[in-house]
Amino acid sequence: IYAGGFNGLQRQVELNVWQVVFSSLQSIGALLVLIYIEATVINYFIWQIIVVTIQVIVMKIRFWFLFDNLEIRKPVFEGRIIKNILNFTAGITGISIVSIILMQADKIVLSKVLSLQDFGYYTLATVIASVVSRLVAPIMTVYYPTISSIVALDDERLLSNKYHEGCQLMSIIVLPC
């Protein structure tokens, strides 16, 4: 939730710094726990829970500090906004559910049909192919809040320019792959 807030405030660089700090703390700390305390799965997961809890607290405090310093009105729940976008969100939810099912259906079917070795090759090929989406995801993360704010401004020319800029950037990355 707070990562989405940082993205919405267009603070991706700061978000990335926090994520690197806490990912490093998770990895290095887990290694130290396993080496110097006791190498058990329970200790590993306890360390992960501790770090994630600290991360959520730190991110919450930092996000609300950033939000409080903005010159906008305080957040208030407005049910009419949800009512206005209910059909849209229901459609997005449906698409997400169908996507998850379709993304897993092949693995379920192929795990029953293929040998373990062939299924391993298929899984490896899937991971390699997913590199393209991992290259594109940061661009979407940066452009989405910007495009959303332009939509709110109702500036079609600026929206068109920013959309085409994002598409060209994605093309530069995706097409060579």
Side-chain angles (χ1 to χ4, degrees):
I1 291 173
Y2 298 113
F6 275 85
N7 285 327
L9 294 175
Q10 298 185 13
R11 305 285 297 221
Q12 290 88 359
V13 173
E14 181 177 352
L15 173 62
N16 289 336
V17 169
W18 285 116
Q19 288 178 330
V20 166
V21 166
F22 283 106
S23 294
S24 300
L25 188 59
Q26 277 182 302
S27 302
I28 295 167
L31 182 64
L32 295 174
V33 165
L34 296 175
I35 291 172
Y36 294 111
I37 295 178
E38 186 181 7
T40 66
V41 172
I42 299 295
N43 285 343
Y44 172 81
F45 283 118
I46 288 171
W47 178 255
Q48 298 301 312
I49 290 168
I50 290 168
V51 174
V52 168
T53 302
I54 293 168
Q55 180 179 9
V56 168
I57 292 167
V58 168
M59 299 280 290
K60 177 182 179 180
I61 291 168
R62 178 64 182 146
F63 174 75
W64 284 107
F65 175 79
L66 289 171
F67 199 81
D68 284 342
N69 288 333
L70 295 175
E71 294 184 17
I72 58 175
R73 64 184 175 89
K74 295 292 182 196
V76 176
F77 180 79
E78 294 184 26
R80 68 176 173 75
I81 293 174
I82 292 176
K83 186 177 179 184
N84 291 342
I85 62 169
L86 190 59
N87 288 338
F88 174 75
T89 56
I92 294 295
T93 302
I95 290 169
S96 298
I97 290 170
V98 170
S99 295
I100 290 169
I101 290 169
L102 290 175
M103 288 170 45
Q104 299 305 317
D106 64 329
K107 293 168 192 67
I108 293 168
V109 171
L110 291 176
S111 70
K112 303 293 182 198
V113 175
L114 297 176
S115 69
L116 185 57
Q117 182 177 6
D118 288 341
F119 184 68
Y121 290 136
Y122 175 79
T123 304
L124 178 62
T126 303
V127 169
I128 292 169
S130 73
V131 167
V132 175
S133 66
R134 292 178 193 265
L135 292 172
V136 170
I139 297 169
M140 189 186 85
T141 300
V142 170
Y143 271 83
Y144 186 77
T146 303
I147 288 177
S148 296
S149 63
I150 295 170
V151 168
L153 294 173
D154 200 26
D155 185 342
E156 285 189 33
R157 189 182 64 72
L158 182 60
L159 178 62
S160 178
N161 290 341
K162 191 55 76 172
Y163 175 78
H164 283 79
E165 178 184 289
C167 287
Q168 289 170 1
L169 184 58
M170 284 218 197
S171 295
I172 290 169
I173 293 172
V174 172
L175 293 177
C177 293

